[in-house]
Amino acid sequence: MLTAGGCPKNMLSIKDALEALEGKWKLLILFSLSTGPRRFKQISKEVSGISDKTLSKELKSLEGNQLIKRDVQDSFPPTVNYSITEHGRSLEKVMEELHYWGLAHRRQIIGK
Amino acid sequence: MLTAGGCPKNMLSIKDALEALEGKWKLLILFSLSTGPRRFKQISKEVSGISDKTLSKELKSLEGNQLIKRDVQDSFPPTVNYSITEHGRSLEKVMEELHYWGLAHRRQIIGK
């Protein structure tokens, strides 16, 4: 079990992960992109509650961490698509566990 | 697979989870408490980089979400211990997946 030893090295890797995923938006953006590439406005609509300014900042941070890719298409007018990378997809299990835990948390706290 | 359907309900539960765990400190505090109860100063030392003000705020939020318990012991002077609850322990799998992903992320981004 991960926590049985309380190893500081485990804490370091969790810290790395939390810094790359900081805030409540990044995983939701990745979740939105997990079913296919999207344009800015589509992501903004799917991730309800996010402002354009925040979304723009979060997309840059995700790109910097190689979790998403930004493609400019040479059309008239040019269009920009965002897609999830292989490295972004590797967060699937984290998202899955968060999903299950979120359900349990709602039962425990919100839904009672 | 969780993301195959892109179900908005999954996004809602992930959002619930991210709101309860918001920021980069809460999971690290829980990780520190996972091996046993701690006093404020012990947590502050283990979770390196956190200020006393932030730790105090995060402990209150974790208590409000029933993830930790605060016990005042009737000693001279009184001492306060923080411990993880059953509900807090249910984040074990989330922490495990974040740990593995953090390792992979370090290889991908930081360690190359």
Side-chain angles (χ1 to χ4, degrees):
Chain A
M1 205 183 268
L2 173 67
T3 52
C7 172
K9 274 197 184 166
N10 292 347
M11 189 162 330
L12 185 67
S13 55
I14 293 176
K15 201 170 178 177
D16 283 345
L18 293 175
E19 275 171 6
L21 307 172
E22 198 171 358
K24 64 176 177 177
W25 298 116
K26 293 191 185 69
L27 281 171
L28 296 176
I29 296 167
L30 289 171
F31 185 72
S32 156
L33 294 177
S34 66
T35 49
R38 298 271 192 288
R39 295 180 59 178
F40 188 94
K41 276 289 163 203
Q42 290 175 297
I43 306 171
S44 155
K45 203 174 156 187
E46 281 187 23
V47 181
S48 67
I50 196 167
S51 71
D52 281 2
K53 192 180 160 192
T54 304
L55 178 53
S56 172
K57 188 177 66 94
E58 296 291 38
L59 288 170
K60 273 191 194 120
S61 161
L62 288 168
E63 203 188 346
N65 276 309
Q66 300 177 20
L67 296 167
I68 63 167
K69 209 161 41 87
R70 184 178 180 274
D71 290 308
V72 183
Q73 270 146 1
D74 186 14
S75 53
F76 298 96
T79 56
V80 180
N81 263 311
Y82 296 91
S83 56
I84 194 165
T85 61
E86 206 51 42
H87 185 46
R89 280 205 189 279
S90 70
L91 279 160
E92 168 92 355
K93 277 193 178 175
V94 169
M95 289 195 256
E96 207 166 286
E97 291 303 337
L98 277 172
H99 159 65
Y100 291 128
W101 188 82
L103 286 177
H105 182 62
R106 181 167 279 260
R107 275 194 301 272
Q108 170 96 6
I109 305 288
I110 308 169
K112 65 177 173 185
Chain B
M1 206 181 269
L2 174 67
T3 52
C7 172
K9 275 197 183 166
N10 292 348
M11 191 166 322
L12 185 66
S13 54
I14 293 176
K15 202 170 177 177
D16 283 344
L18 293 175
E19 275 170 7
L21 307 172
E22 198 171 359
K24 65 176 176 177
W25 300 114
K26 293 191 185 70
L27 281 171
L28 296 176
I29 295 167
L30 289 172
F31 185 71
S32 156
L33 294 177
S34 66
T35 49
R38 298 271 193 287
R39 295 180 59 178
F40 189 94
K41 276 289 162 205
Q42 290 176 297
I43 306 171
S44 155
K45 202 175 157 188
E46 282 185 25
V47 180
S48 67
I50 196 166
S51 71
D52 282 1
K53 193 180 160 191
T54 303
L55 179 54
S56 172
K57 188 176 67 91
E58 296 291 38
L59 287 170
K60 273 191 195 121
S61 162
L62 288 168
E63 203 188 346
N65 275 310
Q66 300 177 20
L67 296 167
I68 63 167
K69 207 160 43 88
R70 184 177 180 275
D71 289 308
V72 182
Q73 270 147 0
D74 186 13
S75 53
F76 296 96
T79 55
V80 180
N81 263 311
Y82 296 91
S83 56
I84 193 165
T85 61
E86 207 50 42
H87 185 47
R89 280 206 189 278
S90 70
L91 279 161
E92 167 93 355
K93 276 192 179 175
V94 170
M95 288 196 257
E96 207 166 288
E97 290 303 336
L98 276 172
H99 159 66
Y100 291 129
W101 188 83
L103 287 177
H105 182 61
R106 182 167 278 258
R107 276 195 301 270
Q108 170 96 7
I109 305 288
I110 308 169
K112 66 178 176 186

